[in-house]
Amino acid sequence: QVQLVESGGGLVQAGDSLRLSCAASGGTFSNYALGWFRQAPGKEREFAGGIGARGRYIRYAGFAKGRFTISRDDDKNTVYLQINSLKPEDTAVYYCAAGSEASLTTYRFVIWGQGTQVTVSS
């Protein structure tokens, strides 16, 4: 199975931008759909967006539209999450996950990374 490692988080100020990366090893990367989730302190984990196998389509949560951009580079076995105009409420641990095409509808992913912390100061 594919293994996932997130990177790119850190402490930033409101209005800054970040690009998070999720590097994969094992499996056949191009065959997986990939999702990004976030979990803020004291709140449940929520779906931010996902991208289908070979980048066939992209889906975003309502809060992510306009500021979050998901892309993938199958030659580098990496999926990215670009976040622009960061807000304090974006503070969370961000996770990537791999699954089937159906995962983008059910939000049930069975392969997860360990997460990367994003902290946005006001």
Side-chain angles (χ1 to χ4, degrees):
Q1 285 189 320
V2 66
Q3 294 175 290
L4 307 173
V5 179
E6 301 96 334
S7 63
L11 175 62
V12 298
Q13 292 187 319
D16 286 352
S17 297
L18 280 176
R19 188 171 78 155
L20 308 182
S21 298
C22 175
S25 60
T28 303
F29 181 79
S30 62
N31 289 341
Y32 288 92
L34 295 137
W36 283 97
F37 292 75
R38 69 182 188 182
Q39 187 166 22
K43 296 187 177 180
E44 295 183 347
R45 189 172 300 181
E46 62 181 342
F47 176 76
I51 186 167
R54 288 174 281 276
R56 287 177 291 185
Y57 64 96
I58 302 172
R59 178 175 295 175
Y60 295 103
F63 71 83
K65 291 181 178 179
R67 295 195 300 118
F68 288 43
T69 303
I70 296 171
S71 60
R72 66 190 293 165
D73 187 339
D74 290 347
D75 291 334
K76 297 181 178 180
N77 290 351
T78 302
V79 62
Y80 303 97
L81 175 62
Q82 174 77 30
I83 311 176
N84 296 328
S85 301
L86 281 154
K87 304 175 181 180
E89 50 263 45
D90 294 324
T91 295
V93 177
Y94 285 74
Y95 300 87
C96 67
S100 67
E101 294 297 302
S103 298
L104 297 175
T105 300
T106 65
Y107 309 109
R108 294 181 64 89
F109 293 80
V110 296
I111 304 171
W112 294 82
Q114 296 187 90
T116 184
Q117 176 72 49
V118 173
T119 303
V120 185
S121 63
S122 59

